[in-house]
Amino acid sequence: MSTQPGSKVTIGAIAAEAGVSTATVSKVLNGRSDVSAATRERIQQIMARRHYQRRGARRRGGIVDLVLNELDSLWSIEIIRGAEETLRTAGVSMVLSAAHGSGAATSAWLDQLTARRSDGAILVVSDLNLRQRTRLTSLGVPFVLVDPVGTVEAGVPTIGATNWAGAVSATEHLIGLGHRRIAHLAGPRQLLCSRARADGFRAAMEAAGLDVPQEAVRHGEFNDSSGYAETTALLEEAARCGRPLPTALFAASDLQAFGAYTALRERGLDVPGDISVVGFDDVPVTRWTAPALTTVRQPLQAMAEMAARTLLRLVDGEEVDLPRVELATQLVVRDSTAAPRDGG
């Protein structure tokens, strides 16, 4: 049996289809642990399929949750700025939560959201499992995902950027300057945006007839310490194996690029004289680094603004015509890239 969104589905109907008591369904709705895993999953699947919403759940209490894995990164600050401005203009307060990629932390955040009767949630670089998604739906709490971790169920509102195209433009810029030995500091393998950027790098290299050796792509985290560690490992491995150094690095985030700057300078390598560097995101500090960083501008504030506007529409009971939106990226050329001294 299938139910269209907006239809009234009762706990009794869910219980009857699942072959359990209404009390058991109520326990699942409230996150109680005294229900077997198999029974819980069966009930959650039925609720998701039949679009169950708790009666009276939708309200306008004037609070929206913004959930990020980390609150202290330059990337996160841009997201916070965009969402806060849009929500404040609409007269809605914003509560910040940090999930830290932890299931326990996410469950705690869901409990807090329920307690404060939030109107909705914007989840950034998150991956909701069936239990979490069902709980939000059953409470009548709409949500929007920004740069989700994995593949998203059809119909879930999602805001992202053209990561693949941005990576292609960054790599083509380096190739156009004459670079042939280009390495990529990739992000975490499990993130869709990381995979898209790595795929864009490979696509541009292959289109130019250039090989991508296995050691030329190094996966890490989107932070400066990872950029430093992976660049150091790249340089040390090249020296140990007697391979020529790359003449350019494309980092999947600006923070990784900053870490690469430090690792290169510690080894007496000049940017861009010895190795050109390109980042991704265009956080505000990139224009003030020495040298100013060439990077791919990801419209972080605009992504957050659109997510906030979309969520407010959902809170008001409106439908979203385009559940998946990707905003355009743009290459910003500054001083960290130049033609290779040895011709590539």
Side-chain angles (χ1 to χ4, degrees), residues 259-282:
Y261 269 21
T262 302
L264 294 171
R265 286 169 179 158
E266 285 184 356
R267 285 151 184 81
L269 297 171
D270 177 68
V271 178
D274 295 307
I275 298 183
S276 290
V277 178
V278 179
F280 201 109
D281 287 333
D282 195 29

Side-chain angles (χ1 to χ4, degrees), residues 13-331:
I14 299 293
E17 184 171 344
V20 299
S21 67
T22 55
T24 300
V25 176
S26 180
K27 289 179 181 179
V28 172
L29 284 172
N30 290 293
R32 293 269 297 274
S33 60
D34 53 340
V35 179
S36 72
T39 300
R40 182 184 301 279
E41 183 176 359
R42 185 166 73 254
I43 292 171
Q44 289 173 341
Q45 288 176 347
I46 294 170
M47 287 192 292
R49 187 175 69 250
R50 300 188 65 179
H51 303 281
Y52 172 79
Q53 287 191 356
R54 183 173 289 175
R55 294 188 180 216
R58 176 166 283 153
R59 61 265 177 187
R60 194 61 187 265
I63 300 175
V64 162
D65 278 52
L66 177 64
V67 185
L68 303 103
N69 280 335
E70 298 177 353
L71 301 180
D72 58 352
S73 73
L74 296 172
W75 190 95
S76 296
I77 289 171
E78 294 303 295
I79 292 290
I80 292 168
R81 284 176 178 169
E84 191 278 333
E85 182 176 352
T86 301
L87 294 170
R88 174 168 44 82
T89 301
V92 176
S93 299
M94 185 177 76
V95 175
L96 285 176
S97 298
H100 302 295
S102 164
T106 303
S107 296
W109 162 75
L110 281 170
D111 292 338
Q112 294 163 6
L113 175 144
T114 303
R116 60 179 162 257
R117 299 180 62 80
S118 295
D119 290 333
I122 301 171
L123 300 116
V124 184
V125 193
S126 298
D127 189 15
L128 287 180
N129 60 35
L130 175 63
R131 178 181 179 182
Q132 295 158 351
R133 188 169 67 248
T134 302
R135 188 171 176 191
L136 286 172
T137 302
S138 67
L139 290 170
V141 178
F143 56 91
V144 177
L145 303 182
V146 177
D147 259 354
V149 169
T151 303
V152 179
E153 180 183 358
V156 173
T158 306
I159 311 297
T162 53
N163 292 290
W164 185 88
V168 168
S169 67
T171 310
E172 287 181 341
H173 168 66
L174 293 170
I175 294 171
L177 289 171
H179 294 278
R180 297 297 179 266
R181 300 192 307 276
I182 306 172
H184 177 42
L185 303 181
R189 296 178 187 273
Q190 73 273 19
L191 297 186
L192 281 177
C193 61
S194 298
R195 298 201 297 271
R197 293 171 198 177
D199 288 345
F201 166 73
R202 292 180 184 278
M205 293 288 283
E206 291 171 5
L210 301 175
D211 293 331
V212 181
Q214 182 177 355
E215 65 274 5
V217 179
R218 305 192 66 91
H219 286 270
E221 300 295 326
F222 285 143
N223 57 49
D224 50 0
S225 59
S226 177
Y228 175 86
E230 296 303 330
T231 301
T232 299
L234 181 72
L235 299 176
E236 290 178 348
E237 183 178 352
R240 185 172 60 253
C241 299
R243 289 193 298 264
L245 293 177
T247 62
L249 289 175
F250 165 42
S253 75
D254 292 338
L255 296 181
Q256 287 173 301
F258 298 156
Y261 269 21
T262 302
L264 294 171
R265 286 169 179 158
E266 285 184 356
R267 285 151 184 81
L269 297 171
D270 177 68
V271 178
D274 295 307
I275 298 183
S276 290
V277 178
V278 179
F280 201 109
D281 287 333
D282 195 29
V283 295
V285 73
T286 53
R287 70 196 67 182
W288 305 114
T289 56
L293 181 65
T294 294
T295 187
V296 176
R297 177 174 296 156
Q298 184 175 199
L300 298 173
Q301 287 195 34
M303 290 162 60
E305 290 167 3
M306 178 168 285
R309 289 196 300 269
T310 300
L311 182 63
L312 292 175
R313 289 178 58 192
L314 293 172
V315 169
D316 287 335
E318 298 181 30
E319 293 186 359
V320 178
D321 298 328
L322 297 172
R324 172 66 184 178
V325 176
E326 288 191 346
L327 302 185
T329 53
Q330 177 187 0
L331 180 68

